Amino acid sequence: MSSTSVLGGVVRRREDPALIQGRGRYTDDVKLAATAHVAFVRSPYAHAQVGSVDTSAAAAMEGVLAVYTAADTDHLGPLIAQVPVGALRPLLNSGTVKHVGEAVAMVVAEDPYVAKDAADAVEVDYDPLPAVVDLKHSLSDEVPVHEGASNTLISWVGPFGADEAALAELQQGIEAAKQRDDAVVVSQEMTNQRLIPVPIEPRSVMADYQAGYDRFDIYSSTQIPSALAGAIGKYFGMSMNQVTVKAMEVGGGFGCKLNVYNDEVLVAFASKHLGRPVKWTETRREAANSTIQGRGWVATATVTGTEDGEILGFELEGIADMGAYSQNFTVAIPFLGLFVGSGQYGFPTYWKMDCVTTHTMTTDAYRGAGRPEAAYYLERIIDMYARRIGMDPADVRRKNYISSSEFPGAVSPMGFPMDTGDYATNLDAALETAGWSDLLAERDAARAEGRYVGVGLATYVEVCGFGPSGLVDLGFSWAEYQMPSAFNGSSLVRVHPDGSATVSIGTGPSGQGHQTTWAQIVGDGLGLDVERIRVIHGDTEEAPPSIGTFGSRSAAVDGAACYEATGKVRAKAARIAAHMLEASEEDIEFADGGAHVAGAPDSSVSWGEIAACAYQPHRLPEGLEGGLEAHAIFSPGNATWPFGTHIAVVEVDPDTGDVDLLRYIGMDDCGNVISPMIVDGQIHGGIAQGIGQAMFEDAVYDADGNLLSGSLVDYILPTASDLPSFELDRTVTPTDVNPLGVKGIGEAGTIGSAHTVVNAVVDALEPLGVTHIDMPLRPRRVWQAIQDARA
Amino acid sequence: MKVSMSVNGKQVSGDAEPRTLLVHFLRDTLGLTGTHVGCESSYCGACTISLDGKAVLSCTMLAAQADGADITTVEGLASNGELHPVQEGFWERHGLQCGFCTPGMIMSAVTLLEENPEPSEDEIRQGIEGNLCRCTGYHNIVRAIEYAGAKMRGEEPAPAEWENA
């Protein structure tokens, strides 16, 4: 970093002027001449045999261009998945539909209103069949979701890589610990309920097939533009370079736009078939029942420890809901949980999750993706154990941490090498910021007055920023999308002849401030004002391929590629500047929009002068190629492992069960920080989503597979008046797996927060003897727990 | 049918079906795509506009109902190239991330500050509870509105939290 580093400083976001004036371009804002519009006919049944599909009335309506059924699209094959374990989704289904909202037919019309009318006019005969929704019922295989196949798709068992003998030995060790005289065993079955991601922008896709050039422009609110380009190419027998995907502004993703969807393929199909641009934007109800959901685990957590807080073993055994079909990552999500199954602790851990199908919408990556679930079980049961032995929950955690002295080189009990960590320092900082002992005293004083005030604490470790690229060996190859071995970052930095610069990067935006962060990294490396730097992203035509924006990976992986490409450009520019200034290359420094000789600020050339020279090869030093640009691919040596400590203070109204969240303190450690403003913003939003799960959100399916909370009327999101201002601070433990030392922060807030709130509510109700309440902690459920405890 | 209205200070008219929603008229007929559709059920607030001085949801109102109305959308807030203090507040205090809820959130905040020039934090939070944001946890939206309120009262806004760090 240069001496005038903008890294770690605050730059107002460059994307904001457009967005605050209503001039941002999201997919649904794009208008092309003669665009046709799509509406889907969707199954109202969770499980039914489709009989006849009568499209004649719809097709005859004025303004209807086409009505497609599976007969028209089956030749394309099913929806491809990254981890194709389990049944794949048909693009359109004329056989047996497997969840409410599954697409049966597609109408294309001149006008979106007409398309919806025509979709209503398609007559489908359904013969309903029994549905499987409950996870234990699914596990029994009494009713198969897919005829002839077990409902259990895979079981993830940890530690990772342990053979049967090692697992047996581990389990015997934990069993032996349970037999000790001083053993304390605490066990609890808990539900980590299904959630609907709900970015405020519904998904939208427009395909523009240009027959004269045999190519597609695809506009999509996707997190993975390169993979979508590869997928569309694959479906239509085209190369990736015949497909351009543009993800301009994306209105939030949180993982649910990290899929290639059947609607994206179908809209492309219709555009090619009709020779017109074709657009579809989902309704909020479609977003609920045909965009992926997250979480959905039922599991029993057991901790075995001593009376003085030494944990001898942790076990988690449960079932995870995959929904009806496997999409991009589906079965891999619980595996991400396994990565952090033992959290930031060193005790022996046995972990087993069965991944089962149900007649519900597919689950996949939702902010945190397996890691909030894993952390939830671990941090809830440790809290219950601390309560049982009467020990401060902070002390129990500290006692069982992997010590900072084990880094670098620590390997988690689940079998994964970790980068850097200093958990006790982070915990202590959180306790100090919160005023932990005062908080406990205030809680006790409130209790003495008969009030139900609770203090909850939880800590977490995350794993994110994947690579290394060798992860393809675990089945995450991205080859299905013509993106083999792509757990890399990739970036191209170009200095133009006038001295301005462009950075092209394959990630896309969905709110993380990348326009600003990438410009900061390049500007810092070149000593160039960020205003002179253009960022091109979310556009497969102009940017090098990348697997996209997800898994808290952008800064740690693609940002590192950006840093390295910048370094290559700077090295070349230093040679040119040295030649121009008749100085030694080693003495060239970059700052204030150009290069100067160290110790001689008057001896300088601007970036414009350097670039002008670079593009006139006759002026260059002997043997130096013309031009001034560089590409870098960065492959991290490991994922990164951020961590943190969160503390919540709540008060429960015992008469109504209403939970008032009084304070929320977050002490996160994501290594070095490029922009404190943006990092804190990511944490705020992550915490809000974790609180949403803890207190409000619930994707409720009834026994027949109807989604009862499919609109924002009944799927309750936190509003501004439900949340307090958050109190954030950080510790800084840089990673050693990338040159920026950054770890990634997109998901951390969510991974740390749900259990923190539940721990606080249970603490508030401790005087009543309440030990656990399943999320979401809405008033009725809390009130019921109080009544049950009093009975 | 023909509908006419004033939008951002200009008299406009256009054809609309009787069932055409106001938000679609604004976005598709007038090309004002700053007003967003988030839920079509009046729960998310992304489509909030100002109509005759009130914050209303343009996704649950017909274009025909707005005939003769005086409408301001987010595109009409800045004047002579100068941002409205609420827009400035959102930029200065990182009140947006993905930006999709932002136009509606800004329009609600403008109305809030017109009705209550010096709101408490609780009053701000209650004032925007009809607008959902999934990115910010509302923390910096509240700071942005506090900033705008101070500016509109002619006061110096409190420093940004990261300036104190």
Side-chain angles (χ1 to χ4, degrees):
Chain A
M1 297 176 198
S2 70
S3 56
T4 54
S5 180
V6 295
L7 301 184
V10 169
V11 176
R12 281 191 309 182
R13 294 207 324 170
R14 290 146 49 87
E15 38 276 89
D16 289 359
L19 302 180
I20 57 180
Q21 296 185 80
R23 302 192 197 285
R25 291 227 306 169
Y26 299 84
T27 300
D28 194 41
D29 299 338
V30 180
K31 313 252 182 252
L32 296 178
T35 297
H37 298 267
V38 163
F40 287 100
V41 178
R42 298 187 182 278
S43 171
Y45 294 100
H47 191 198
Q49 180 67 46
V50 176
S52 66
V53 181
D54 183 353
T55 61
S56 56
M61 290 171 71
E62 190 181 338
V64 172
L65 299 166
V67 185
Y68 300 107
T69 65
D72 303 301
T73 58
D74 270 350
H75 69 279
L76 293 169
L79 185 63
I80 53 180
Q82 185 59 236
V83 187
V85 175
L88 301 179
R89 173 181 298 278
L91 297 179
L92 293 169
N93 195 345
S94 61
T96 308
V97 289
K98 299 291 197 312
H99 69 89
V100 169
E102 183 167 2
V104 174
M106 171 173 68
V107 174
V108 188
E110 299 280 0
D111 174 273
Y113 286 60
V114 173
K116 288 195 172 85
D117 288 344
D120 288 343
V122 173
E123 290 193 21
V124 185
D125 279 337
Y126 297 97
D127 186 6
L129 298 164
V132 185
V133 174
D134 179 77
L135 298 188
K136 290 175 185 169
H137 185 210
S138 172
L139 192 67
S140 75
D141 272 339
E142 190 187 324
V143 178
V145 173
H146 296 278
E147 203 57 49
S150 170
N151 291 340
T152 303
L153 299 180
I154 196 168
S155 298
W156 295 113
V157 179
F160 180 66
D163 61 19
E164 279 188 27
L167 288 170
E169 190 182 336
L170 171 71
Q171 288 180 288
Q172 283 159 14
I174 295 175
E175 280 309 312
K178 287 178 183 170
Q179 305 309 319
R180 280 170 52 154
D181 289 343
D182 62 344
V184 177
V185 181
V186 183
S187 190
Q188 178 72 47
E189 182 180 276
M190 297 179 257
T191 296
N192 196 285
Q193 80 274 26
R194 282 177 76 123
L195 300 178
I196 302 175
V198 200
I200 305 299
E201 180 204 27
R203 288 193 307 106
S204 181
V205 56
M206 177 157 72
D208 177 21
Y209 177 72
Q210 297 142 33
Y213 305 96
D214 190 25
R215 62 181 310 284
F216 273 112
D217 278 340
I218 306 283
Y219 303 81
S220 178
S221 56
T222 183
Q223 294 174 239
I224 48 172
S226 297
L228 178 56
I232 295 294
K234 190 165 179 171
Y235 276 104
F236 298 98
M238 300 161 83
S239 309
M240 286 181 87
N241 61 12
Q242 288 171 278
V243 182
T244 297
V245 171
K246 292 175 190 290
M248 298 161 299
E249 299 292 351
V250 176
F254 316 118
C256 81
K257 295 172 181 173
L258 160 55
N259 261 253
V260 170
Y261 281 93
N262 58 331
D263 42 70
E264 293 175 309
V265 180
L266 289 165
V267 163
F269 165 78
S271 177
K272 188 169 184 190
H273 189 250
L274 296 171
R276 295 173 59 159
V278 174
K279 183 201 262 187
W280 172 73
T281 300
E282 69 183 359
T283 63
R284 184 53 60 187
R285 187 164 288 276
E286 286 176 302
N289 66 24
S290 57
T291 287
I292 63 94
Q293 302 180 357
R295 319 275 192 264
W297 292 15
V298 174
T300 298
T302 305
V303 73
T304 302
T306 65
E307 286 159 3
D308 62 358
E310 185 193 351
I311 295 176
L312 305 168
F314 169 67
E315 299 153 277
L316 185 77
E317 292 191 63
I319 316 169
D321 193 347
M322 302 294 102
Y325 300 105
S326 290
Q327 290 193 190
N328 186 19
F329 275 131
T330 302
V331 298
I333 301 304
F335 179 65
L336 285 174
L338 185 148
F339 262 85
V340 291
S342 49
Q344 55 282 26
Y345 305 106
F347 43 69
T349 298
Y350 174 79
W351 211 87
K352 179 170 182 281
M353 288 298 295
D354 296 318
C355 301
V356 303
T357 50
T358 54
H359 289 114
T360 62
M361 180 55 202
T362 297
T363 62
D364 204 307
Y366 167 57
R367 201 170 194 168
R371 291 152 291 174
E373 297 93 315
Y376 179 79
Y377 287 98
L378 183 56
E379 290 296 302
R380 277 291 300 127
I381 202 70
I382 287 181
D383 225 56
M384 292 174 73
Y385 164 71
R387 203 171 300 285
R388 178 79 64 84
I389 61 173
M391 193 165 164
D392 186 314
D395 293 337
V396 171
R397 288 175 169 89
R398 189 186 293 103
K399 185 164 186 157
N400 291 284
Y401 280 156
I402 295 171
S403 162
S404 61
S405 65
E406 293 183 42
F407 294 98
V411 176
S412 78
M414 297 308 273
F416 298 99
M418 306 168 88
D419 60 346
T420 55
D422 186 354
Y423 308 129
T425 298
N426 178 271
L427 172 66
D428 290 339
L431 298 179
E432 190 181 332
T433 296
W436 181 249
S437 52
D438 291 344
L439 274 185
L440 298 182
E442 287 163 21
R443 174 200 64 188
D444 292 342
R447 276 185 187 169
E449 294 170 16
R451 291 163 57 204
Y452 293 90
V453 171
V455 180
L457 175 143
T459 67
Y460 70 89
V461 69
E462 180 188 359
V463 60
C464 64
F466 288 100
S469 74
L471 270 178
V472 293
D473 296 340
L474 297 180
F476 306 128
S477 71
W478 290 84
E480 291 293 317
Y481 303 126
Q482 306 196 44
M483 291 280 294
S485 183
F487 271 93
N488 308 312
S490 182
S491 171
L492 177 70
V493 173
R494 172 177 295 151
V495 178
H496 301 279
D498 68 349
S500 64
T502 295
V503 51
S504 312
I505 193 161
T507 53
S510 46
Q512 300 86 347
H514 288 172
Q515 284 276 355
T516 308
T517 301
W518 305 148
Q520 276 183 271
I521 292 172
V522 176
D524 184 66
L526 301 184
L528 188 61
D529 190 332
V530 293
E531 297 303 325
R532 297 272 283 157
I533 300 163
R534 182 180 172 216
V535 173
I536 295 176
H537 59 168
D539 185 332
T540 62
E541 186 152 80
E542 300 201 49
S546 157
I547 55 171
T549 301
F550 61 92
S552 305
R553 61 179 289 104
S554 294
V557 187
D558 292 273
C562 191
Y563 176 87
E564 296 206 328
T566 303
K568 289 183 185 179
V569 168
R570 186 181 53 213
K572 182 170 182 180
R575 279 190 70 184
I576 299 170
H579 182 67
M580 294 172 79
L581 296 168
E582 297 179 345
S584 162
E585 205 177 310
E586 290 71 39
D587 292 339
I588 297 296
E589 292 179 351
F590 290 91
D592 305 327
H596 66 267
V597 179
D602 291 342
S603 182
S604 67
V605 282
S606 71
W607 271 102
E609 290 166 317
I610 297 169
C613 184
Y615 287 96
Q616 299 176 75
H618 68 277
R619 293 179 57 199
L620 290 173
E622 187 76 25
L624 197 62
E625 213 180 322
L628 197 47
E629 64 183 66
H631 179 219
I633 284 187
F634 177 75
S635 181
N638 188 1
T640 62
W641 300 71
F643 52 92
T645 304
H646 288 195
I647 294 169
V649 184
V650 301
E651 178 160 6
V652 179
D653 181 334
D655 296 326
T656 63
D658 189 50
V659 175
D660 193 4
L661 185 55
L662 301 174
R663 285 184 70 191
Y664 197 97
I665 298 108
M667 180 67 66
D668 296 275
D669 193 324
C670 61
N672 287 337
V673 167
I674 297 170
S675 167
M677 176 186 88
I678 286 175
V679 163
D680 284 355
Q682 289 292 309
I683 298 170
H684 293 149
I687 290 171
Q689 289 186 13
I691 293 171
Q693 174 167 25
M695 295 177 63
F696 305 104
E697 301 176 37
D698 200 356
V700 182
Y701 282 91
D702 70 10
D704 295 325
N706 297 301
L707 179 58
L708 301 182
S709 54
S711 80
L712 295 181
V713 180
D714 25 41
Y715 188 84
I716 304 169
L717 297 180
T719 69
S721 52
D722 294 318
L723 302 175
S725 285
F726 306 121
E727 302 164 53
L728 303 187
D729 207 341
R730 61 176 61 87
T731 57
V732 177
T733 309
T735 183
D736 55 6
V737 305
N738 67 59
L740 292 165
V742 301
K743 287 195 173 191
I745 195 62
E747 297 162 290
T750 306
I751 295 168
S753 48
H755 28 277
T756 300
V757 173
V758 177
N759 286 349
V761 173
V762 171
D763 185 60
L765 300 178
E766 186 187 22
L768 295 169
V770 172
T771 56
H772 178 69
I773 312 174
D774 269 333
M775 302 182 289
L777 304 182
R778 290 196 207 146
R780 187 191 166 91
R781 195 171 279 186
V782 175
W783 180 86
Q784 190 63 54
I786 294 168
Q787 303 312 306
D788 293 348
R790 282 175 170 165
Chain B
M1 61 189 292
K2 197 88 166 169
V3 291
S4 302
M5 58 194 81
S6 166
V7 178
N8 300 331
K10 280 187 211 152
Q11 200 60 35
V12 297
S13 61
D15 288 320
E17 285 187 58
R19 65 175 176 173
T20 302
L21 296 174
L22 177 56
V23 68
H24 290 145
F25 183 78
L26 292 170
R27 289 177 54 81
D28 300 333
T29 306
L30 303 182
L32 295 170
T33 55
T35 302
H36 296 153
V37 183
C39 73
E40 324 94 17
S41 58
S42 65
Y43 270 79
C44 80
C47 66
T48 306
I49 59 166
S50 169
L51 186 141
D52 294 335
K54 289 190 181 130
V56 305
L57 300 171
S58 60
C59 83
T60 34
M61 180 170 181
L62 299 170
Q65 290 175 289
D67 193 45
D70 184 10
I71 287 172
T72 305
T73 68
V74 69
E75 289 97 334
L77 271 188
S79 61
N80 302 322
E82 199 159 315
L83 295 176
H84 187 283
V86 173
Q87 292 173 311
E88 185 185 319
F90 273 69
W91 193 12
E92 291 288 342
R93 290 296 176 267
H94 191 28
L96 64 150
Q97 289 179 27
C98 83
F100 197 79
C101 77
T102 307
M105 194 67 85
I106 285 177
M107 295 310 294
S108 286
V110 167
T111 306
L112 165 69
L113 289 172
E114 280 167 3
E115 290 171 357
N116 181 358
E118 196 161 3
S120 66
E121 174 168 349
D122 278 352
E123 287 168 339
I124 291 172
R125 288 181 177 276
Q126 282 162 28
I128 58 169
E129 71 179 357
N131 293 76
L132 297 175
C133 171
R134 196 61 158 157
C135 292
T136 65
Y138 307 102
H139 181 101
N140 282 336
I141 291 177
V142 174
R143 301 290 93 78
I145 297 171
E146 287 170 348
Y147 175 102
K151 277 275 176 161
M152 290 165 77
R153 297 190 300 272
E155 299 166 11
E156 186 64 27
E161 287 171 353
W162 46 86
E163 288 166 16
N164 294 328

